Amino acid sequence: MTHRLAEIKAVSSPDDRSIFIQILESVYRFTLGSIAGAAGATAVYPIDLVKTRMQNQRSGSLVGEVAYRNSWDCFKKVIRHEGVLGLYRGLVPQLVGVAPEKAIKLTVNDFVRDKIGTNGVIPLYGEILAGACAGASQVIFTNPMEIVKIRLQVAGEIAGAAKVRAWSVVKELGLFGLYKGARACLLRDLPFSAIYFPVYAHTKQMFTDEDGYNSPISLLLSGAIAGVPAAALMTPADVIKTRLQVVARTGQTTYTGILDAARKIIQEEGHRALWKGTAARVCRSSPQFGVTLLTYELLQRLFFVDFGGSRPVGSEVKKVKTVEPTVFKQNADHIGGYQAAVPIVNGIETKFGLSLPRFASSIGTSASSAKT
């Protein structure tokens, strides 16, 4: 059971849903989505760093041997050469960007589902459309945040290099530079969300109990399971985006766009290069979205505000049936009751050879008085 910390009824009935109330609902969801997104990103950030470095590794270029044999080798080398904090390079700009990114994704997905659905029921095409709209809308926040994050993440690979700060990257790129690789980002995020949200909704529904309720564990599992196919299938787009956004070093291949990057990667490194970091990407995205959606739904339960709109299936606070306590009334005549013990207790001072002060029960006394 989830205990509500706050419960507010914004409207008395769905008919009272004005434009202002709908705006308030979007602000409410945006705020909770920001907190949920930050929680999810922080939980899996070290995996994200490993994924980025694996994807940026270019085995077919002229720079010599590869730095990392696999994701685990990358993880160990980061700790060895950069310390544990090296796993969190670029976390601050990630949190600054991920809050509005995840917030707008969750808000838009819920908003479109509300508009398409009827009484909480939405067709599959509507779920896919809502997810696609959510993925497309987030790019405005995602691209600037990710290009800064990626450049900070790969900066630690150069031994003795000067420390790179987020603000210096932003100044170097400028406004338009922050959207370098935006089309590749859109190519990745739009289908990702179109896959993720419908799978999450149906997986969550499968995990509901007999009362149609989702426990926190089922929410976490639903979010994690939905992230596996979405993250895995979009890996090639993520690899291309990473290559476009990272500054190529001396001897490394440069790319002019999505198609150019895809063609050169396949020519120089083979088709398998497009799937680099798939394991790390799945291991990052799956638990990240699990934690994000779990936090988002629990926050809606804890700080419940009824705006009169529809709510996701299984997201209500579990209703616990109130059982009236059984009141047991004393029956003085039942076997073992006090009334049956009176004849035994009365006169006990003269029984069994005992010599005690005279004892008389109140019930016995009352009965004698009544007879008198």
Side-chain angles (χ1 to χ4, degrees):
M1 177 183 175
T2 305
H3 297 282
R4 292 174 177 167
L5 298 180
E7 184 171 355
I8 301 171
K9 194 171 183 64
V11 293
S12 57
S13 69
D15 296 334
D16 297 332
R17 278 174 59 82
S18 63
I19 296 297
F20 178 70
I21 290 297
Q22 293 181 48
I23 293 174
L24 282 181
E25 183 176 21
S26 295
V27 172
Y28 163 78
R29 287 174 173 172
F30 191 91
T31 302
L32 300 189
S34 298
I35 300 171
T42 303
V44 299
Y45 192 80
I47 302 174
D48 183 52
L49 181 135
V50 171
K51 184 245 354 164
T52 298
R53 293 198 178 182
M54 288 299 298
Q55 290 180 340
N56 189 51
Q57 186 166 259
R58 315 187 186 196
S59 56
S61 58
L62 304 176
V63 294
E65 295 183 1
V66 296
Y68 315 113
R69 296 190 301 274
N70 49 49
S71 296
W72 178 242
D73 182 57
C74 177
F75 181 80
K76 291 189 295 183
K77 285 181 177 177
V78 171
I79 294 179
R80 184 187 310 145
H81 299 299
E82 304 171 51
V84 176
L85 293 180
L87 292 170
Y88 292 90
R89 278 181 179 270
L91 176 60
V92 174
Q94 170 80 340
L95 292 181
V96 171
V98 82
E101 174 214 336
K102 291 295 184 290
I104 196 170
K105 174 187 283 191
L106 295 169
T107 302
V108 170
N109 178 68
D110 284 348
F111 178 80
V112 177
R113 288 176 68 95
D114 285 347
K115 294 302 179 184
I116 296 177
T118 304
N119 296 325
V121 178
I122 179 173
L124 180 59
Y125 79 85
E127 294 181 321
I128 296 173
L129 178 62
C133 291
S137 66
Q138 76 176 76
V139 174
I140 189 172
F141 294 104
T142 302
N143 208 82
M145 176 266 296
E146 289 208 357
I147 193 170
V148 174
K149 177 200 70 175
I150 286 172
R151 295 200 176 189
L152 291 176
Q153 286 178 335
V154 300
E157 294 179 319
I158 306 175
K163 188 174 181 179
V164 179
R165 298 188 179 277
W167 181 241
S168 63
V169 175
V170 173
K171 289 193 297 183
E172 177 187 346
L173 289 169
L175 177 61
F176 293 105
L178 288 173
Y179 286 92
K180 183 178 182 180
R183 284 181 293 179
C185 190
L186 186 65
L187 180 66
R188 179 200 65 179
D189 290 343
L190 191 153
F192 178 97
S193 295
I195 295 171
Y196 180 82
F197 284 108
V199 174
Y200 171 71
H202 288 273
T203 305
K204 185 177 73 168
Q205 194 168 3
M206 287 173 55
F207 283 157
T208 56
D209 60 18
E210 62 276 6
D211 297 322
Y213 169 81
N214 280 110
S215 67
I217 294 298
S218 72
L219 291 174
L220 180 63
L221 287 175
S222 299
I225 291 172
V228 174
L233 293 173
M234 292 304 107
T235 298
D238 195 42
V239 171
I240 292 171
K241 181 192 70 68
T242 299
R243 296 290 182 92
L244 289 172
Q245 291 181 333
V246 172
V247 177
R249 302 194 189 107
T250 304
Q252 287 185 332
T253 304
T254 57
Y255 313 106
T256 58
I258 295 175
L259 294 178
D260 181 62
R263 179 176 56 83
K264 289 180 178 178
I265 291 171
I266 294 172
Q267 284 180 348
E268 297 176 0
E269 305 171 56
H271 289 84
R272 295 183 61 182
L274 289 173
W275 300 92
K276 279 185 176 181
T278 299
R281 178 168 162 77
V282 169
C283 290
R284 183 213 67 171
S285 296
S286 178
Q288 177 181 5
F289 276 89
V291 172
T292 299
L293 269 296
L294 169 65
T295 306
Y296 183 62
E297 298 228 31
L298 288 184
L299 286 173
Q300 289 189 79
R301 294 180 184 181
L302 291 172
F303 303 97
F304 182 86
V305 181
D306 184 4
F307 290 97
S310 61
R311 300 188 65 81
V313 176
S315 297
E316 274 285 7
V317 177
K318 189 173 185 180
K319 300 294 190 299
V320 179
K321 294 180 180 178
T322 305
V323 180
E324 292 294 332
T326 304
V327 178
F328 295 97
K329 296 182 179 180
Q330 183 180 1
N331 182 359
D333 295 322
H334 79 278
I335 300 300
Y338 187 59
Q339 189 76 284
V342 170
I344 301 174
V345 176
N346 284 340
I348 193 173
E349 72 284 352
T350 60
K351 297 177 181 178
F352 313 113
L354 298 175
S355 178
L356 299 171
R358 181 171 178 78
F359 172 83
S361 69
S362 59
I363 293 180
T365 306
S366 299
S368 300
S369 301
K371 290 181 182 178
T372 306

